[in-house]
Amino acid sequence: MRFSRVTVPTLKEKPAEAQIPSHELLLRAGMMRAVAAGIYTMLPLGALALQRVEDIVRREMNAAGALEVVLPTLHPADPWMKSGRWHQYGPEMMRLGDRQGRDFCLGPTAEELITEAVAKTAPSYRDLPVNLYQIQTKFRDETRPRFGLIRGREFRMKDAYSFHVDEGDLDRTYDRMRQAYSSVARGCSLPVRVVEAVTGLIGGDVSHEFMVVSGIGEDVLVYCGDCDYGADAELESHSPGGMFGGTEAAAPQEVHTPGLVSVEEVASFLGTGPASVTKCVLYVAGGEAVAVFVPGYREVSETKLARVLGTDEFHPMREDEREKFPAVTAGYTGPVGLEGVRTVFDLEIAGARGLICGANRPDYHLGGVEEGRDFAAEPAFDVATAVQGDACVRCGGELRIARGIEIGHIFKLGVKYSEAMGASFTDRDGKDKPMIMGTYGIGTSRILATVVEQHHDDGGIKWPVSVAPLPVEVLVISPGRREQAEAAERLTRALAGRGMEILVDDREASPGVKFNDADLVGLPLQVVIGKKLDSDGTVDLKVRYTGERRAVRVELAVEEIERALEEAP
RNA sequence: CGGGGUGUAGCGCAGCCAGGUUAGCGCGCGUGCUUUGGGAGCACGAGGCCGGCGGUUCGAAUCCGCCCACCCCGACCA
């Protein structure tokens, strides 16, 4: 493959729309171009890299016993009506009509179609389990496409679906897929944390996300530094680090705190920190006021609160609702003597002493408050977010909080779709039963961006060998010199003979341009054919990842390249 | 969807507030000569419905209105 401008149209300057390294570098390295918000064209090198990722996924899926299928991207509305998701999905689903006015959508995922397809085979227990996957373009009209390939509206995803006679059988496949996903991440040189996750719109009750810790991640995860516990921040559980409490007193003392409402304001006014201030967040649920108390350095987790309240029909109290609930004093609500309001206490409040709380009258707080003596925090629930310093519920190790990129998500679905689509099998006893399902998604285009996010430097991309679009770039410094051009030609042919296609930069350009473009494009090895060929019969071999560079004799170049590729990351 | 911002050559930007001949700059692109191991030099050149529609005006890239697109923050989603 030759490095003409059309094949690899590199950009010297950073495109204005790129906010993160992977987005910038994929554009600048000439791997892709934007078409519309969240929609991209993959150019030759980008398409090759995507294929590498998808080849790895395919290999691991096949190894895990899954069979590849191809489902349509254009879905009729009917199966989505049956599952109820035609309406649940809302505007995120790309919808369109055909010339007859029939409703279609561009598939955001494919539980409905695959379940229908398997249902039509009318399997018996002897035919199960079955695990089918596809690698296909998906469509979600994201409210906010962002970060290039990280969150697009059209993207590539591998989705797999398994069908089982019982939960135990599902568990076996689920574990296998979990292993396979870890292998995919390893194969792509991505360090991954497996975390417990919420199931959301897909449904089901158990799910795990595969997260790559990254500052640009859109999700927050909590994980243990000592064991393999990890969870999405929305449903993590933690043991409080025992940081809550302040100066104790024989009895609560009222202090004047005019106009001071936030935890930070009150704490700094009283010369202390958020560790001794009780935060109160007011909600309205079922027409009733709910006062939620958490330590000042934590936030209320609305996911956890929904579990406590038994409903997700609640919202933060709006200013215009306050007059309806005279029992609470906006900004100064405290647990002492609070009546006529539903209260929810965080676990960490139980037993805490020396607290600063709202005094339930404007412009006053109470200091030296003690739980158990001045109010009762019961029942208490885990309703707060984790913070650095909390302990792992499993091993007591220190929890860490980080942002992460979700590259994969697997679910134990149960019978949600098989019941809706009438997908049953004939069991040993001759009776029809709904199949138990699992569903497993992994974003291949997102993995591509994540690899770049994890493997780059100021000069450009540093492709790991496994996902590099091509293994080697040959830079011909003076393509006008016949010796150099011929050496490049011989090397290209020799490597092709070993099944290795390479990129050759034979442009008439100054050397600096080629060096910089080679670093930007980031193929694992660079072979520089230049003046040393004439002077001492050598070419330079540079390892992009380490920057290491050495001269090798041109007739040994093929062996040296093969060896270097085995050693490179 | 709420808030903010930006649309001027392939890319990055200036000009707009204070309307006035031919709309600039850098990179990239073409031609010629020189150069050839870390983004070369000189010379000449091509390339613009100034996002779209409408309005104000003698005159609009510039002022006003509507629309569209893109980006950021939030909400949403998983």
Side-chain angles (χ1 to χ4, degrees), chain A residues 200-526:
Chain A
L201 196 53
I202 299 282
D205 31 53
V206 173
S207 88
H208 288 88
E209 288 170 333
F210 293 73
M211 308 288 278
V212 176
V213 171
S214 164
I216 65 110
E218 297 181 284
D219 306 86
V220 177
L221 64 145
V222 175
Y223 65 96
C224 179
D226 295 336
C227 73
D228 64 359
Y229 173 77
D232 190 293
E234 284 185 39
L235 87 170
E236 53 74 33
S237 47
H238 58 266
S239 302
M243 295 165 278
F244 193 44
T247 313
E248 295 181 33
Q253 299 146 353
E254 202 162 68
V255 287
H256 191 43
T257 51
L260 304 176
V261 168
S262 75
V263 168
E264 287 71 26
E265 286 168 350
V266 173
S268 68
F269 180 74
L270 297 176
T272 177
S276 51
V277 180
T278 304
K279 178 184 286 187
C280 176
V281 185
L282 299 171
Y283 287 88
V284 176
E288 188 187 11
V290 180
V292 183
F293 293 99
V294 300
Y297 47 83
R298 296 184 194 271
E299 305 297 327
V300 172
S301 160
E302 295 192 353
T303 307
K304 293 179 180 178
L305 182 59
R307 270 203 304 259
V308 172
L309 297 178
T311 172
D312 51 11
E313 296 286 310
F314 62 88
H315 59 268
M317 188 180 291
R318 294 188 305 267
E319 275 187 45
D320 61 304
E321 291 178 304
R322 285 179 187 163
E323 57 195 28
K324 282 194 283 183
F325 305 105
V328 295
T329 314
Y332 295 92
T333 307
V336 181
L338 182 64
E339 283 176 8
V341 178
R342 181 165 179 192
T343 53
V344 175
F345 292 97
D346 182 63
L347 283 177
E348 198 174 13
I349 295 193
R353 300 170 174 199
L355 304 179
I356 296 161
C357 315
N360 293 318
R361 70 170 173 129
D363 298 333
Y364 285 92
H365 277 78
L366 293 178
V369 174
E370 187 170 324
E371 193 276 330
R373 183 189 70 189
D374 304 319
F375 69 98
E378 56 187 30
F381 304 93
D382 176 11
V383 289
T385 55
V387 295
Q388 209 87 26
D390 284 336
C392 174
V393 287
R394 239 182 246 169
C395 76
E398 190 180 341
L399 289 182
R400 299 178 188 182
I401 298 165
R403 305 192 72 83
I405 303 169
E406 176 192 343
I407 61 165
H409 201 160
I410 61 178
F411 302 76
K412 291 186 188 178
L413 270 184
V415 295
K416 172 176 172 173
Y417 296 93
S418 46
E419 284 189 338
M421 316 303 295
S424 55
F425 69 100
T426 309
D427 205 350
R428 195 180 288 269
D429 58 10
K431 299 214 168 82
D432 278 2
K433 298 177 183 169
M435 289 180 266
I436 312 285
M437 289 178 60
T439 180
Y440 320 89
I442 195 163
T444 55
S445 48
R446 182 179 280 183
I447 282 179
L448 181 64
T450 306
V451 168
V452 176
E453 204 59 48
Q454 296 292 311
H455 302 283
H456 69 271
D457 61 19
D458 289 345
I461 304 174
K462 301 192 294 187
W463 289 108
V465 173
S466 59
V467 290
L470 296 168
V472 179
E473 173 169 342
V474 170
L475 293 76
V476 188
I477 297 297
S478 305
R481 282 239 169 78
R482 200 198 310 164
E483 305 76 39
Q484 294 186 20
E486 285 176 352
E489 187 61 33
R490 278 196 303 275
L491 188 55
T492 302
R493 262 201 297 267
L495 290 171
R498 310 217 174 185
M500 201 185 299
E501 195 189 354
I502 63 170
L503 179 66
V504 180
D505 190 347
D506 57 351
R507 290 176 296 170
E508 284 288 351
S510 65
V513 171
K514 296 180 199 175
F515 287 128
N516 282 297
D517 273 350
D519 287 347
L520 176 60
V521 169
L523 302 190
L525 290 184
Q526 297 169 16

Side-chain angles (χ1 to χ4, degrees), chain A residues 555-567:
Chain A
E555 57 279 13
L556 298 176
V558 171
E559 289 74 36
E560 294 285 346
I561 286 167
E562 286 188 327
R563 188 182 316 158
L565 280 175
E566 274 171 31
E567 291 168 3

Side-chain angles (χ1 to χ4, degrees), chain A residues 46-270:
Chain A
L48 280 172
L50 182 61
Q51 276 171 34
R52 296 282 178 273
V53 172
E54 295 186 347
D55 285 346
I56 290 168
V57 170
R58 195 170 270 123
R59 183 184 78 207
E60 297 300 335
M61 285 301 107
N62 293 341
L67 299 169
E68 186 163 9
V69 295
V70 180
L71 300 167
T73 51
L74 186 61
H75 298 193
D78 186 59
W80 289 87
M81 296 277 194
K82 276 190 194 156
S83 72
R85 289 207 291 180
W86 183 261
H87 298 293
Q88 274 176 38
Y89 241 100
E92 191 172 319
M93 179 181 264
M94 290 278 195
R95 296 161 207 264
L96 63 166
D98 69 5
R99 62 169 76 200
Q100 313 285 359
R102 285 181 289 245
D103 288 325
F104 285 80
C105 69
L106 296 173
T109 176
E111 281 80 11
E112 283 79 357
L113 290 194
I114 194 78
T115 306
E116 214 174 49
V118 171
K120 283 180 181 164
T121 68
S124 86
Y125 71 95
R126 295 172 198 271
D127 305 316
L128 299 180
V130 61
N131 187 1
L132 303 173
Y133 77 96
Q134 65 166 344
I135 299 175
Q136 184 60 283
T137 301
K138 302 295 192 304
F139 302 86
R140 291 182 193 169
D141 194 359
E142 295 283 350
T143 49
R144 196 173 160 204
R146 201 178 350 196
F147 295 159
L149 257 31
I150 297 282
R151 178 171 296 264
R153 294 193 293 173
E154 175 174 329
F155 58 98
R156 298 280 296 175
M157 182 170 101
K158 187 281 314 177
D159 43 324
Y161 308 88
S162 68
F163 299 83
H164 308 273
V165 297
D166 57 33
E167 298 283 350
D169 195 36
L170 168 61
D171 290 348
R172 281 187 290 278
T173 294
Y174 190 85
D175 286 342
R176 248 176 130 178
M177 294 298 272
R178 185 174 163 157
Q179 297 300 325
Y181 273 39
S182 294
S183 299
V184 168
R186 210 175 309 120
C188 296
S189 296
L190 291 178
V192 76
R193 306 264 344 170
V194 186
V195 304
E196 298 166 15
V198 291
T199 52
L201 196 53
I202 299 282
D205 31 53
V206 173
S207 88
H208 288 88
E209 288 170 333
F210 293 73
M211 308 288 278
V212 176
V213 171
S214 164
I216 65 110
E218 297 181 284
D219 306 86
V220 177
L221 64 145
V222 175
Y223 65 96
C224 179
D226 295 336
C227 73
D228 64 359
Y229 173 77
D232 190 293
E234 284 185 39
L235 87 170
E236 53 74 33
S237 47
H238 58 266
S239 302
M243 295 165 278
F244 193 44
T247 313
E248 295 181 33
Q253 299 146 353
E254 202 162 68
V255 287
H256 191 43
T257 51
L260 304 176
V261 168
S262 75
V263 168
E264 287 71 26
E265 286 168 350
V266 173
S268 68
F269 180 74
L270 297 176

